[in-house]
Each structure stands twice: as structure tokens, then as C-alpha cells.
């Protein structure tokens, strides 16, 4: 028999998320910005970073880790660089406070960067790169996490699950977007397998003894693997360097130490880059856009799909029918406020 589910409208997911966070003392502006991201995740059926994340947000709040009323501070570092100090609050409001500067700088000079520092980070990156692509820009985003992932050929965790996201603007269409962890899967996906009592595929993780495991609980106690062997491993290192060392923030190792065993969502920085295809392309920009579309057509016309195509289809369905979430998750979320 299929697992029991509950149907919620997008407005209900948003309200439930915001109310839960405010109930636990989070400043309303933070609660609203997080509720927007959680609702978008659930709407697009990104289950590891939808409503499920409310549980870890509340955990971080209850453990006294997050600054509940942190006011992000925006610094205009240079014509290309904007920095936002999140002051140990959640990352979403800091992104919202900095993104307009990033966009206007990239539109003015062709390329710009937004460094977010000192933020608790739990969310998917695609809402952020999509926001930048909506302004006609190409975008990259990356962030470390906690050191859960062994480098290829090694035995001890060094890297975080370190997601990287990219968006390319497509006028009149959804942008081309990919967003994935540089580990074989997001840690949240392993947690969801544990909640559902399901095995994980071999190749995702090792147990505490360093042996491949299909048991999600053992995987969470052990270590995760990078995707694509040495290739994912090197990309993960790049993210530690660019979105950690380069922006003067913690790498996944320091984030793990800063956590002091509390096991809350990681605290570190994030790097976002925006590029103007119009300015880079100059007289050839229109031709570049045409060639990009021809490439997308040559992918989809042979039956392959673009990354994010599943998400955009889920988005359309959710707008019409709302979202369906496991009843067990719904009960756990209600229990956060004692309901
Ligand atoms: P996946 O391995 O599922 O990869 C997701 C990406 O690959 C999506 O863009 C997805 O598009 C695309 N994709 C999947 N299958 C195909 C296919 N057959 N053909 C083309 N494209 C495909 O996700 P992960 O588990 O690696 O990551 C999930 C989320 O977790 C990400 O959003 C990431 O940002 C987030 N995360 C956040 C972290 C943080 O610290 N904040 C840490 C780690 C992960 P589609 O969505 O349409 O399926
Ligand atoms: O799923 O790996 C993950 C993750 C880490 C921080 C937020 N999500």
C-alpha cells in the first residue's frame, strides 16, 4: 500500500513554515524569506530541501545556534564585488539583501560577485540562480557545508556536500538550470531514505568502518562519497576554496568544528557570480543565444531531458493541485509547534 500523504496548497506550506519559525522566535523577515524558499522547494518536489528542512531550521534555533534577529549588513566592496555579512543568521535574508546589488553590478560591468559571510545555510541553490537568470544574466552559486565527504582515494571526510548551481537565461522560457551536491547525493536525501526505512544505493557512502553501505543510518555515522570519483572530488575542493578560503570564511572542516557536536545546519559562506551574456557577447550576443537554444533542442529532440525540466513540470502541477507530502512528515512538522 502507498504511504499515506497529505495535500497542502502552496499558501498553506508557506503559512505553516512562517508560523512555525516565528513560533520559535525567529524574526518575521527571516521567517518569511525562509518560508519562500521552503515553499519553492516543496512546490518543485525537491523533497530533500522542501518542508523537511523546517525540522532542521527549528533544531538550529532550539539549540541556540542561529542569531534570530540578525540584520544582514551589505558592503559595497568594489564595482564588481558586494559582500553581505549575515551575522550568524540564516542565509536567505542576506541573499535577498545583496542580490539587487549583484544584478545591477553585473548589468553595468558584465561580471559581478556576491559573497555572503557568516550564514547558517540549509537550502537548495537553484532559487538563487533562477532569480539572477530572471534578470537576463548567467549565474553560478556554490557553498561548502560540514566535512562529511571523503576525497577520492582517501578514507577520512574533508569536504562538505558542497552544492554548485548554474543558470542560463532563456528569454520567454524557463532558464537552463542545474543544481547538485558534489557528493554522490545530498545528505538530506540519505536522511529521507532513513526516515522512509529504505536502503540507499551503493556508491553513496561508507560505514564507520570504511566499508560501502546501503544502510542510511550507517552512512550518516560513516562518510559520504564524492560524485564522479576524482572529478566531483576536485570540484568539491574548488568550492571549499572559492566559497570558503577566498571569501574569508569557514571551510566545511571549520564549519563542522564550529558546530561543536550540535549537528545543526552548517555555518559558513556562499559565493554567487553573475555574468552578462549581452556584454560578453557584444555584437555576437544574439547569435550566442541562438546557438544555445540549438544546443538545448539537440538535447531534448533526442529524448534526453534538461536538468530542472522535472522541477518545472512539478512547479506547474503544484500551482494547480498543491503539494502532496508524507503524512509522517506533516505530523513531525505540526509537532514542532506542539500541534
Ligand atoms: P541530484 O543528484 O538529484 O541532482 C540534481 C540536479 O540534476 C538537478 O538540477 C536535476 O534536475 C538534475 N537531474 C537529475 N536527473 C537528471 C537527468 N536524468 N537528466 C538531466 N538532469 C537531471 O541532486 P543532489 O542530491 O545532488 O542535490 C539536491 C539539492 O540539494 C540541490 O538543490 C542542492 O542545492 C541541495 N544541497 C544543498 C546543500 C547546502 O549546503 N545548502 C548541500 C548539498 C545539496 P531536476 O531537479 O529537474 O531533477
Ligand atoms: O543535503 O547535504 C545536504 C545539505 C547540507 C546542508 C544543507 N543541505
Amino acid at each position: 500500500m502507498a504511504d499515506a500523504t497529505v495535500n497542502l496548497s502552496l499558501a498553506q506550506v508557506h503559512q505553516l513554515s512562517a508560523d512555525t519559525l516565528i513560533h520559535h522566535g525567529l524574526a518575521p523577515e527571516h521567517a518569511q524569506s525562509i518560508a519562500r524558499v521552503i515553499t519553492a522547494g516543496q512546490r518543485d518536489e525537491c523533497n530533500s530541501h522542501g518542508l523537511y528542512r523546517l525540522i532542521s531550521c527549528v533544531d538550529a534555533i532550539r539549540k541556540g545556534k542561529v542569531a534570530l534577529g540578525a540584520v544582514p549588513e551589505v558592503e559595497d566592496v568594489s564595482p564588481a564585488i558586494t559582500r553581505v555579512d549575515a551575522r550568524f543568521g540564516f542565509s536567505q535574508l542576506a541573499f535577498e539583501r545583496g542580490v539587487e546589488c549583484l544584478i545591477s553590478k553585473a548589468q553595468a560591468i558584465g561580471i559581478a560577485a556576491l559573497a555572503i559571510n557568516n550564514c547558517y545555510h540549509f537550502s537548495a541553490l537553484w532559487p538563487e540562480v533562477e532569480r539572477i537568470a530572471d534578470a537576463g544574466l548567467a549565474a553560478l552559486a556554490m557553498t561548502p557545508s560540514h566535512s562529511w565527504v571523503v576525497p577520492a582515494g582517501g578514507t577520512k571526510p574533508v569536504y562538505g556536500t558542497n552544492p554548485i548551481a548554474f543558470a542560463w537565461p532563456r528569454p520567454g522560457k524557463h532558464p537552463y538550470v542545474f543544481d547538485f551536491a558534489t557528493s554522490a547525493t545530498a545528505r538530506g536525501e540519505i536522511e529521507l531514505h532513513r526516515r522512509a526505512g529504505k536502503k540507499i544505493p551503493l556508491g553513496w557512502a561508507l560505514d564507520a568502518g570504511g566499508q560501502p553501505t546501503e544502510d542510511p543510518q550507517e552512512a550518516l555515522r560513516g562518510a559520504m562519497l564524492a560524485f564522479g570519483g576524482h572529478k566531483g572530488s576536485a570540484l568539491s575542493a574548488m568550492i571549499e576554496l572559492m566559497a570558503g578560503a577566498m571569501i574569508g570564511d569557514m571551510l566545511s572542516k571549520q564549519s563542522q568544528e564550529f558546530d561543536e557536536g550540535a549537528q545543526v545546519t552548517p555555518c559558513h559562506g556562499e559565493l554567487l557570480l553573475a555574468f552578462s551574456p549581452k556584454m560578453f557577447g557584444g555584437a555576437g550576443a544574439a547569435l550566442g543565444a541562438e546557438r544555445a537554444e540549438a544546443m538545448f533542442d539537440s538535447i531534448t529532440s533526442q529524448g534526453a531531458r534538461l536538468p530542472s525540466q522535472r522541477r518545472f513540470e512539478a512547479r506547474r502541477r503544484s500551482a494547480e493541485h498543491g503539494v502532496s507530502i508524507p503524512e509522517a512528515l506533516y505530523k513531525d512538522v505540526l509537532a514542532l509547534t506542539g500541534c
Side-chain angles (χ1 to χ4, degrees):
M1 201 179 72
D3 293 338
T5 58
V6 173
N7 193 266
L8 299 175
S9 69
L10 296 179
Q12 284 173 314
V13 175
H14 183 100
Q15 195 69 45
L16 178 61
S17 306
D19 287 352
T20 303
L21 294 165
I22 290 169
H23 173 87
H24 285 277
L26 191 66
E29 267 190 313
H30 278 287
Q32 292 296 339
S33 64
I34 292 175
R36 280 191 280 279
V37 159
I38 284 179
T39 306
Q42 200 60 51
R43 177 200 64 196
D44 284 15
E45 294 174 7
C46 294
N47 294 328
S48 65
H49 289 79
L51 206 49
Y52 168 62
R53 285 285 151 186
L54 208 46
I55 298 172
S56 56
C57 287
V58 169
D59 184 50
I61 294 171
R62 279 181 171 152
K63 288 176 175 162
K65 285 284 187 179
V66 180
L68 302 182
V71 178
E73 191 176 272
V74 182
E75 183 191 352
D76 184 5
V77 177
S78 79
I81 302 173
T82 305
R83 182 188 303 284
V84 184
D85 184 348
R87 296 173 154 181
F88 299 96
F90 285 111
S91 67
Q92 286 72 25
L93 194 58
F95 170 77
E96 287 180 9
R97 292 288 160 84
V99 67
E100 291 303 333
C101 273
L102 171 73
I103 289 172
S104 55
K105 286 181 179 186
Q107 284 169 338
I109 61 169
I111 183 165
L114 173 64
I116 301 176
N117 287 119
N118 305 320
C119 62
Y120 280 89
H121 203 297
F122 68 84
S123 51
L125 301 183
W126 55 260
E128 299 182 355
V129 291
E130 272 192 36
R131 165 78 189 81
I132 300 165
D134 283 349
L137 300 167
L140 268 172
M142 59 193 86
T143 187
S145 62
H146 281 331
S147 46
W148 290 309
V149 181
V150 257
T155 55
K156 296 190 189 80
V158 173
Y159 309 132
T161 47
N162 299 6
I164 182 163
F166 171 75
W168 173 266
R170 301 177 70 194
K173 294 183 181 165
H174 287 301
Y176 172 90
V177 181
F178 68 73
D179 175 18
F180 47 73
T182 47
S183 43
T185 190
R187 192 168 182 86
E189 200 55 54
I190 300 183
E191 291 167 3
L192 290 182
H193 276 71
R194 180 188 53 187
R195 283 178 66 87
K198 290 185 186 154
K199 284 184 181 175
I200 57 169
L202 284 172
W204 279 11
L206 306 175
D207 65 19
Q211 296 305 311
T213 183
E214 294 178 286
D215 179 337
Q217 185 61 48
E218 290 301 319
L220 294 169
R221 284 199 204 106
M224 297 173 68
L225 295 170
F227 90 89
H230 62 282
K231 300 180 187 183
S233 196
L235 271 179
S236 204
M238 179 196 80
I239 294 167
E240 299 283 348
L241 297 171
M242 298 283 286
M246 187 179 84
I247 64 167
D249 214 313
M250 291 189 263
L251 279 63
S252 296
K253 179 178 188 292
Q254 287 86 46
S255 173
Q256 185 85 280
E257 288 163 0
F258 183 75
D259 184 66
E260 295 176 312
Q263 298 191 12
V264 303
T265 204
C267 181
H268 45 68
E270 179 180 351
L271 178 67
L272 295 115
L273 301 166
F275 310 85
S276 164
K278 217 167 151 188
M279 213 168 269
F280 274 96
L287 181 59
E290 266 174 44
R291 287 173 173 161
E293 289 306 314
M295 182 188 79
F296 298 137
D297 284 348
S298 66
I299 296 168
T300 52
S301 63
Q302 57 176 301
R305 77 161 169 97
L306 300 180
S308 295
Q309 198 172 311
R310 179 202 62 79
R311 255 186 340 95
F312 295 137
E313 284 159 14
R315 186 177 300 183
R316 187 186 45 73
R317 274 196 311 277
S318 300
E320 209 176 325
H321 304 295
V323 296
S324 191
I325 61 165
E327 189 177 36
L329 172 61
Y330 185 58
K331 285 184 175 161
D332 285 351
V333 167
L334 290 182
L336 295 172
T337 47
C339 297

